[in-house]
Amino acid sequence: MTGRPIITDIQNTWCPGCGNFSIQHTLKNILADMEKEGRSLDDVVLVSGIGCHAKIADYLNINSFYSLHGRTIPVATGIKLANPRLTVICCCGDGDCYAEGLDHLLFAAKRNLDITVMVHNNRVYGLTTGQYTPTSPLGFRGKSTPMGTEEFPFNPLELMLASGATYVARGYTKKMDQLKGLIREGIDHHGFSFIDVLQICATFFPAADYYTPRVYDLADHDPAQFMAACTRAREWDYNGDAKIPLGVFYRARFPTFDDRMAQIEMGQDQRDAAVRGIMSSRE
Ligand code: SF4
């Protein structure tokens, strides 16, 4: 695979100004760096869900699996457990992974599965032309809420910290250098890595004028401190006028689900028999 273009020549249908371009180019640069370091991109698998973000599986020239809505993480889990040698990166949408796929996200964090989950959090269903998602702000007016939403967004960083994620970060598509560092660190982290990326939707939620004056770097924070991470995650609740911290909130080393599974000594015959046993018990 060495030397072949990382961006495919498939026609790109994202809207001009979409933050997905920033994520795509950030990932491309990370993959190019990994290749220069001697890592084979054949050992990298990208899994996407359904939504504007998911087209990234078509636009990056690496192994990929374009999955179902909300189901990136079960697919990624299967890939990682079947071949723990692989680097598995999930690109999810906020509607995709904070709504329909939320249970999968929580349990992958709980298990500390060694995958990287990057949420293209544009805070709107863009592909279906502008319905509100779990992170849309209170009062968001979209196709399904013409009078504005009557519910508060939830804070995905708090959910991830409470669920057991061992790398929790937030980036912004207009801070690409920082975003590159956050995603690369997430990929290199041994454990469940979660990166919430504030992504501009140029068409249905063009929030750059809101984000840009508010974001700041979490330079004074020690990500080894769990309670401090919780406090910093609460500084901005995805609503209101507070400053928005970007960076690594939490980083810790704990045994991963795949490490624990690898310790179970089971030959293929035993594994097949166990699967047969599970299947027959359902009859
Ligand atoms: Fe990007 Fe929004 Fe257009 Fe989708 S609808 S491609 S998220 S700008």
Side-chain angles (χ1 to χ4, degrees):
M1 171 146 201
T2 307
R4 84 184 189 208
I6 296 174
I7 303 274
T8 66
D9 56 9
I10 290 173
Q11 183 186 6
N12 192 307
T13 57
W14 286 327
C15 309
C18 176
N20 280 316
F21 286 106
S22 305
I23 297 174
Q24 179 199 22
H25 283 270
T26 301
L27 263 179
K28 178 203 78 173
N29 292 336
I30 290 170
L31 293 166
D33 287 351
M34 289 167 67
E35 209 171 27
K36 275 188 217 138
E37 292 160 15
R39 288 172 68 171
S40 170
L41 297 193
D42 287 341
D43 293 337
V44 179
V45 184
L46 177 78
V47 185
S48 70
I50 294 293
C52 294
H53 78 276
K55 299 176 185 177
I56 199 166
D58 287 333
Y59 302 153
L60 286 176
N61 194 12
I62 55 173
N63 301 308
S64 59
F65 194 113
Y66 205 137
S67 74
L68 300 175
H69 193 235
R71 307 295 176 233
T72 50
I73 290 174
V75 171
T77 302
I79 293 170
K80 186 70 184 177
L81 292 184
N83 189 348
R85 190 173 59 79
L86 296 175
T87 297
V88 183
I89 303 168
C90 289
C91 285
C92 314
D94 49 311
D96 178 56
C97 156
Y98 294 156
E100 190 165 356
L102 180 63
D103 48 349
H104 300 303
L105 178 69
L106 300 184
F107 276 85
K110 172 180 178 289
R111 293 174 180 137
N112 194 28
L113 184 71
D114 183 21
I115 61 173
T116 300
V117 172
M118 190 173 25
V119 182
H120 301 219
N121 187 2
N122 58 11
R123 308 175 70 200
V124 66
Y125 283 98
L127 192 68
T128 50
T129 68
Q131 297 79 15
Y132 81 103
T133 75
T135 50
S136 300
L138 179 69
F140 176 82
R141 289 173 189 262
K143 286 274 169 68
S144 58
T145 52
M147 307 297 285
T149 61
E150 294 292 348
E151 55 188 275
F152 277 93
F154 65 45
N155 183 331
L157 270 65
E158 285 188 291
L159 284 176
M160 288 293 90
L161 288 164
S163 301
T166 51
Y167 177 84
V168 176
R170 183 195 284 136
Y172 175 36
T173 50
K174 289 196 173 289
K175 297 271 182 191
M176 285 177 66
D177 286 347
Q178 181 189 42
L179 184 62
K180 182 181 176 205
L182 296 175
I183 297 172
R184 179 62 199 265
E185 189 177 345
I187 291 171
D188 291 343
H189 174 74
H190 188 61
F192 185 79
S193 300
F194 168 81
I195 304 134
D196 184 62
V197 183
L198 300 175
Q199 178 230 311
I200 300 301
C201 172
T203 303
F204 297 108
F205 195 0
D209 289 348
Y210 173 79
Y211 291 139
T212 301
R214 288 177 175 79
V215 293
Y216 76 94
D217 190 1
L218 262 179
D220 61 338
H221 169 63
D222 176 3
Q225 302 301 320
F226 179 79
M227 293 310 294
C230 295
T231 302
R232 300 306 291 259
R234 296 200 77 141
E235 281 184 18
W236 179 59
D237 61 2
Y238 289 71
N239 211 64
D241 285 334
K243 292 283 185 190
I244 303 172
L246 301 177
V248 181
F249 289 71
Y250 185 59
R251 185 194 304 116
R253 277 297 292 265
F254 289 106
T256 65
F257 186 67
D258 22 316
D259 290 341
R260 291 183 202 273
M261 292 295 280
Q263 283 167 12
I264 300 173
E265 289 185 12
M266 188 182 270
Q268 193 62 46
D269 289 349
Q270 286 172 291
R271 197 174 290 267
D272 291 347
V275 171
R276 275 198 300 277
I278 291 167
M279 299 305 284
S280 62
S281 70
R282 299 178 62 192
E283 290 171 356

